[in-house]
């Protein structure tokens, strides 16, 4: 009996030791795992800025630095021209601030040097113009030669006269005057010759109801002068009766050639705004 009790007591003593040994080995692993979970959880909650939809931007790849373009090589003529201009300006400023004989002579001599270069440039320019016809304005525009000018003007007057004759078929002149106006008396015979030469009808309108020697039976003003704001006489207007279009030609006394030139210019004017 005592032997059985001793064995039982011995088993009770050794059991906790084994259990303790087992407990000492197992909890060491579970504690480490628990600590790792706590640390990871703590690290996650510390990253609260990331949010639910946070994503990490990929590292930015900077492009390689661009090489600065090489400055273009300037022609030596341009460099020399700028240096010449600067030297001339500097000499002039020095001479203005200190007009001594030496400073004035230095500026005058260098200015002569620059003027010689300009003269050479003009001569070469003119020589090339003579050899290249499309660059000669005297051949493409109004000539500069006196004999050529006379031929050019004569040809231009013929073109203008033909333009006015063609225009006379559909348009006429409105002549507004007063019988006491000396300029109207001078313009009336010019208009009469113009009417006979180019066949363009002249409609005479008198502001005071009286006529002129060349237009003894004018029409009375029916308010057209006020509508045209014609306060200066004599006044001439180009009118197209079919379209009721009226355009001013001019005011005051004018020669026949000037009258033809103005009417031809109006015929070529694309604007058709009636008054």
């Amino acid at each position: 009996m005592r032997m059985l009790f001793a064995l039982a007591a011995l088993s009770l003593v050794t059991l906790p030791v084994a259990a303790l040994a087992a407990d000492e080995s197992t909890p060491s692993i579970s504690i480490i795992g628990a600590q790792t979970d706590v640390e990871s959880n703590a690290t996650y909650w510390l990253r609260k800025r990331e949010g639910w939809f946070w994503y990490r931007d990929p590292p930015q790849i900077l492009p390689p630095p661009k090489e600065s373009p090489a400055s273009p090589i300037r022609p030596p003529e341009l460099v020399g021209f700028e240096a010449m201009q600067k030297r001339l300006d500097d000499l002039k400023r020095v001479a203005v601030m200190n007009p001594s004989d030496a400073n004035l002579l230095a500026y005058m001599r260098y200015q002569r040097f620059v003027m010689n270069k300009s003269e050479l440039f003009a001569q070469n320019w003119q020589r090339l113009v003579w050899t290249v016809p499309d660059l000669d304005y005297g051949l493409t525009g109004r000539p500069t030669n006196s004999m050529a000018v006379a031929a050019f003007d004569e040809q231009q007057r013929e073109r203008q006269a033909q333009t006015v004759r063609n225009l006379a078929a559909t348009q006429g002149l409105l002549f507004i005057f007063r019988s006491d106006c000396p300029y109207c008396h001078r313009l009336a015979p010019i208009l009469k010759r113009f009417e006979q030469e180019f066949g363009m009808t002249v409609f005479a309108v008198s502001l005071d109801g009286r006529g002129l020697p060349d237009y003894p039976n004018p029409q009375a003003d029916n308010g057209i002068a006020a509508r045209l704001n014609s306060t200066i006489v004599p006044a001439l207007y180009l009118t197209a009766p079919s379209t009721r279009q009226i355009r001013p030609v001019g005011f005051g006394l004018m020669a026949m050639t000037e009258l033809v030139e103005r009417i031809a210019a109006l015929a070529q004017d694309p604007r058709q705004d009636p008054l």
Side-chain angles (χ1 to χ4, degrees):
M1 191 68 178
R2 289 181 178 178
M3 181 62 68
L4 293 174
F5 183 77
L7 292 174
L10 181 60
S11 63
L12 291 176
V13 172
T14 57
L15 180 61
V17 174
L20 182 59
D23 290 341
E24 286 179 354
S25 60
T26 303
S28 62
I29 298 175
S30 61
I31 290 174
I32 294 174
Q35 289 178 350
T36 304
D37 293 340
V38 171
E39 289 178 357
S40 63
N41 291 337
T43 304
Y44 173 80
W45 291 112
L46 288 176
R47 296 180 296 171
K48 59 182 179 180
R49 292 185 180 180
E50 297 176 358
W52 292 101
F53 301 101
W54 179 89
Y55 70 96
R56 187 180 301 277
D57 291 333
Q60 186 177 4
I61 301 176
L62 297 177
K66 296 182 179 180
E67 297 181 358
S68 58
S71 58
I73 300 176
R74 305 178 68 194
E77 293 83 1
L78 183 58
V79 177
F81 181 81
E82 293 177 354
M84 181 182 67
Q85 281 188 320
K86 185 178 184 306
R87 177 165 174 76
L88 181 65
D89 190 54
D90 290 343
L91 289 174
K92 179 180 178 180
R93 294 181 181 182
V94 171
V96 169
M97 297 305 297
N98 183 15
S100 64
D101 292 348
N103 292 339
L104 287 172
L105 283 174
Y107 171 67
M108 294 169 65
R109 293 185 187 280
Y110 201 77
Q111 186 185 40
R112 170 57 63 182
F113 167 76
V114 175
M115 291 177 63
N116 290 339
K117 281 189 169 296
S118 300
E119 184 178 358
L120 180 60
F121 167 80
Q123 291 175 355
N124 291 341
W125 176 292
Q126 188 63 62
R127 179 177 53 80
L128 285 176
V129 167
W130 291 338
T131 58
V132 183
D134 59 332
L135 295 179
D136 192 348
Y137 181 77
L139 299 177
T140 58
R142 184 179 177 84
T144 56
N145 183 279
S146 59
M147 292 185 294
V149 167
F152 177 84
D153 291 343
E154 183 178 357
Q155 186 180 17
Q156 188 170 8
R157 283 193 297 267
E158 287 296 329
R159 287 196 299 263
Q160 292 172 349
Q162 187 60 43
T163 301
V164 174
R165 291 190 184 97
N166 296 338
L167 200 65
T170 57
Q171 301 194 33
L173 278 179
L174 180 63
F175 174 38
I176 300 177
F177 66 91
R178 283 198 316 266
S179 61
D180 60 347
C181 169
Y183 304 105
C184 300
H185 281 267
R186 293 290 185 92
L187 183 61
I190 296 175
L191 290 178
K192 183 60 70 174
R193 292 198 308 271
F194 173 83
E195 189 175 6
Q196 295 170 354
E197 182 175 349
F198 294 97
M200 182 174 286
T201 304
V202 177
F203 303 96
V205 176
S206 176
L207 297 181
D208 56 7
R210 294 191 295 270
L212 298 173
D214 293 282
Y215 294 96
N217 300 312
Q219 298 180 5
D221 180 22
N222 59 357
I224 190 171
R227 185 168 70 88
L228 297 176
N229 195 23
S230 180
T231 58
I232 298 177
V233 291
L236 287 177
Y237 297 88
L238 185 65
T239 175
S242 60
T243 59
R244 296 181 179 273
Q245 183 187 60
I246 300 177
R247 290 184 290 175
V249 176
F251 304 89
L253 185 61
M254 65 185 70
M256 174 80 78
T257 55
E258 186 178 3
L259 179 61
V260 173
E261 182 180 351
R262 292 190 182 192
I263 295 176
L266 286 176
Q268 298 173 358
D269 190 352
R271 295 172 295 178
Q272 300 293 327
D273 300 331
L275 293 177

